[in-house]
Amino acid sequence: MMSGPQRRTVRDLRRGNRAVLLRALYFGGPASRQELTGSTGLSAATVSNVTGDLLAEGVIVEAGQVESDGGRPRVLLRVNPEHGYAIGVDVGETHVRVELFDLAMTERAKADYALRPARHEAELVARHILAGIDVVLAEAGVGSERMLGVGIGVPGIVEQGPGPVIHAQTFGWESVPLEALLRQGTDLPLFIDNGAKTMGQAELWFGAGRGARHAVVALVGSGVGANIVTDSDTYRGATGSAGEWGHTTVAVGGRRCRCGSLGCLEAYVGAEGVLGRYAEAGGTVASDDEQTALAALLEDDSPAARRVVEETVTFLGAGLGNLINLFNPERIVVGGWAGLLLGRRHLAALREAARRHALALPYGQTTIELGELGPDAVALGAATLVVESFLR
Ligand SMILES: [Zn+2]
């Protein structure tokens, strides 16, 4: 008679095989059973059994045929985009955006709620999210029974646990139990993570990080953070705060940072820090809007502007060098709206600055690329939290 632990092992194995095949089809696109046997290392019998189950459940569907040399044409399989749906939510400084995606990550519906500056009460944000969920479900005509869950990207540190708790200084959130607030209005599975991490995951799945097992997505906006991926998994640390790259010290006793410390990377390369340094150097900040002001600064040919931009590139390069030395990534993706603005003009200088601040060997084994998805990928990335759980 089979003992308990062994029964679990068999079930785990079956679930593991499902996950392996689903991931192969999700990330590798349509494939025949023969191709899946080759790419996953599973036996032909296992592939046949598991794909049979998945077809019967409607999780995967047939997607045409390909000729095979001499034999019968082979049937291609793919994940059924309409098997389930995921909602992604971007909780930003100025808006709450709720988007509904099918499993192919095609956007099916969208709702936007403006947030006024300094009005980020957790109850208000939760109300917008709940209203948005209702709106996108109705607009897409999708019943909640077909929803796999809701992923939510929020600012600050998300302390993961049975009831995740959010600490977001810029929102005035101290230990906000967002999930508990949302539970008053929805039964859908909820997945909450830092917005920079969700955007990083979008880049890894669908953008410049595709295919990399060891990667860092370095996000530079007003704030600065990183999504560190080791062996295809996001590194989170003990309670989920790992990746606070912006608050690593690049100048001991240096500029005051928004976190209260001195000399953080963010105080030098975050948009607020860059514009602050420019003002201190006697420059005129062109606009109250950070994006407009930073774009103008990058176009400005004055000696003060050029010096500030040059220093920014050096500090950011040093920060990238630190990531290279610490994590030995095969790829670094620079994203975030400010990172993209700077990187589009100064990528070569940025790579050179990183080279100067990294060990030669790991630097030679990495590439530094720009993000492909743009700064609006937070909601898409949040939806990948849901899909990630589905693929497991
Ligand atoms: Zn800091």
Side-chain angles (χ1 to χ4, degrees):
M1 191 179 130
M2 208 183 246
S3 73
Q6 274 167 337
R7 259 204 310 274
R8 260 205 308 282
T9 305
V10 170
R11 197 164 61 217
D12 283 353
L13 191 66
R14 202 171 291 151
R15 232 181 31 211
N17 291 340
R18 270 175 81 101
V20 165
L21 282 168
L22 265 180
R23 288 186 78 90
L25 285 170
Y26 192 79
F27 293 109
S32 67
R33 290 176 180 80
Q34 289 84 349
E35 287 167 329
L36 287 169
T37 304
S39 67
T40 61
L42 296 174
S43 72
T46 300
V47 169
S48 171
N49 282 337
V50 178
T51 55
D53 289 348
L54 291 170
L55 276 167
E57 292 164 32
V59 181
I60 63 175
V61 288
E62 295 187 347
Q65 299 187 333
V66 278
E67 295 300 318
S68 67
D69 1 308
R72 291 182 297 149
R74 289 170 177 177
V75 175
L76 290 175
L77 302 171
R78 68 181 166 95
V79 173
N80 177 5
E82 300 194 326
H83 173 69
Y85 297 82
I87 288 175
V89 179
D90 171 10
V91 178
E93 292 270 337
T94 56
H95 62 245
V96 172
R97 183 170 297 155
V98 182
E99 298 178 40
L100 186 142
F101 300 91
D102 63 24
L103 270 179
M105 287 319 202
T106 304
E107 186 189 292
R108 296 297 193 92
K110 181 172 171 173
D112 245 306
Y113 302 88
L115 286 177
R116 286 206 301 275
R119 290 298 308 271
H120 297 119
E121 293 90 338
E123 291 74 15
L124 175 70
V125 168
R127 268 206 308 281
H128 285 328
I129 294 173
L130 289 171
I133 292 173
D134 288 342
V135 167
V136 295
L137 286 175
E139 197 183 311
V142 171
S144 59
E145 75 287 350
R146 291 162 75 199
M147 291 303 304
L148 299 169
V150 182
I152 303 162
V154 295
I157 292 175
V158 179
E159 210 177 325
Q160 300 290 354
V165 167
I166 302 162
H167 312 276
Q169 252 172 16
T170 51
F171 273 29
W173 287 12
E174 282 175 43
S175 307
V176 165
L178 184 62
E179 178 168 339
L181 290 172
L182 293 170
R183 273 289 160 252
Q184 297 167 13
T186 182
D187 294 329
L188 293 172
L190 299 172
F191 304 83
I192 303 176
D193 209 342
N194 169 274
K197 285 207 179 75
T198 72
M199 189 155 65
Q201 182 142 307
E203 281 290 349
L204 287 163
W205 283 28
F206 308 113
R210 261 191 331 268
R213 291 174 65 87
H214 301 275
V216 179
V217 183
L219 293 151
V220 184
S222 206
V224 175
N227 186 337
I228 298 152
V229 172
T230 62
D231 216 3
S232 304
D233 269 325
T234 295
Y235 179 73
R236 293 173 196 282
T239 59
S241 85
E244 288 291 340
W245 174 55
H247 305 286
T248 55
T249 306
V250 291
V252 173
R255 283 174 58 80
R256 173 75 58 188
C257 177
R258 297 197 293 185
C259 75
S261 190
L262 296 175
C264 293
L265 178 66
E266 182 172 305
Y268 292 88
V269 308
E272 195 179 307
V274 174
L275 294 169
R277 280 171 34 240
Y278 182 49
E280 286 156 24
T284 307
V285 175
S287 165
D288 282 344
D289 175 62
E290 283 185 349
Q291 306 207 16
T292 311
L294 187 66
L297 170 57
L298 288 166
E299 292 296 321
D300 190 336
D301 215 23
S302 71
R306 288 221 306 268
R307 198 168 56 245
V308 166
V309 171
E310 211 170 282
E311 282 169 12
T312 304
V313 167
T314 303
F315 276 110
L316 185 53
L320 296 177
N322 290 341
L323 291 174
I324 291 169
N325 288 350
L326 280 171
F327 299 108
N328 182 208
E330 65 197 272
R331 198 174 310 160
I332 291 183
V333 177
V334 177
W337 64 266
L340 292 173
L341 273 179
L342 187 72
R344 282 190 196 115
R345 288 168 179 81
H346 299 286
L347 186 58
L350 200 53
R351 286 174 174 150
E352 172 55 22
R355 188 194 63 75
R356 289 200 310 275
H357 292 92
L359 294 168
L361 189 69
Y363 178 80
Q365 293 162 340
T366 197
T367 59
I368 299 173
E369 312 291 342
L370 289 187
E372 290 172 359
L373 298 178
D376 288 333
V378 173
L380 172 68
T384 67
L385 300 174
V386 179
V387 177
E388 188 175 36
S389 143
F390 163 73
L391 292 176
R392 282 216 176 101

